[in-house]
Amino acid sequence: MVRSYRAGLSTAAVVEAALAIIDEQGPAALTLAAVAQRTGVAAPSLYKHVGSLAELRTLVGARVLEEMTERFTRAVIGRSGDDAVEVLMRDYRAYVTAHPARYAATPADPLHDPRIAEAGQRLLEVFLAVLRGYGLTDSDAIHTTRCVRAVVHGFASIEASGGFGLPEDLDETYARLIRMTIAGLPR
């Protein structure tokens, strides 16, 4: 469905249009021409709202990170320990499989991109808050966050790309992976 944004075009509307394109066609389909067509304006009109395609990709990445942070925060609020880790891992997987193209549009290392480091830091804080229940802080918390992220990212990315072709139930496999991850956390 193509929505008309012309009268109310804003940076937020441009990002929304970009996300719709990514969701429908994948990150490679994102061009200023595609966004202009979707919003019903000439491509040069977009420059009032975004300076370049690179800037638009950055805004999209920040938006997706914010979306993930809000979702994961809601999921883990009021939970702790193993329960919080399990819920975080399940919700992360659910996000990736529901929005594989959107997820693929996020930068691999947002903390080192000054334009979106703040959004990346907020997402990191969700993980760190969950891990505080294990007494993990500083370097230990970072290493453990990386491990949990690698596990979820790897599984969910393979799943989203159709890489698990054997008939065994993926939910059962993932439940085992969660148990293995939790078992590896310090007690």
Side-chain angles (χ1 to χ4, degrees):
M1 175 180 121
V2 176
R3 291 181 12 198
S4 176
Y5 295 89
R6 187 180 196 112
L9 194 62
S10 64
T11 301
V14 170
V15 170
E16 279 298 316
L19 284 168
I21 291 165
I22 289 168
D23 287 341
E24 294 167 8
Q25 302 170 44
L30 181 61
T31 64
L32 291 178
V35 173
Q37 181 180 14
R38 184 169 200 97
T39 57
V41 300
S45 298
L46 293 177
Y47 290 107
K48 296 175 186 170
H49 307 287
V50 293
S52 64
L53 179 59
E55 181 183 342
L56 179 57
R57 288 186 190 281
T58 298
L59 293 170
V60 164
R63 169 70 189 287
V64 173
L65 291 169
E66 290 163 1
E67 203 173 77
M68 292 170 65
T69 299
E70 290 171 18
R71 178 177 174 150
F72 300 165
T73 299
R74 280 193 311 272
V76 301
I77 200 100
R79 299 175 184 273
S80 64
D82 295 353
D83 182 45
V85 172
E86 180 174 349
V87 167
L88 178 60
M89 290 180 72
R90 287 188 187 283
D91 214 59
Y92 197 139
R93 174 189 176 211
Y95 183 88
V96 175
T97 57
H99 307 288
R102 190 175 284 217
Y103 180 72
T106 60
D109 185 9
L111 297 179
H112 290 94
D113 182 338
R115 300 166 299 176
I116 58 173
E118 189 176 317
Q121 185 64 39
R122 284 193 299 272
L123 180 57
L124 173 61
E125 289 299 327
V126 175
F127 282 82
L128 296 177
V130 165
L131 294 174
R132 276 194 282 279
Y134 296 91
L136 295 171
T137 59
D138 304 321
S139 186
D140 288 336
I142 298 300
H143 290 301
T144 304
T145 296
R146 285 178 179 161
C147 291
V148 172
R149 178 183 177 214
V151 166
V152 178
H153 171 80
F155 189 93
S157 295
I158 293 169
E159 179 180 10
S161 68
F164 291 124
L166 298 175
E168 283 72 23
D169 182 59
L170 286 178
D171 291 337
E172 173 60 26
T173 304
Y174 198 66
R176 291 179 184 206
L177 187 59
I178 290 171
R179 288 192 301 271
M180 290 169 60
T181 302
I182 290 172
L185 295 172
R187 299 291 158 181

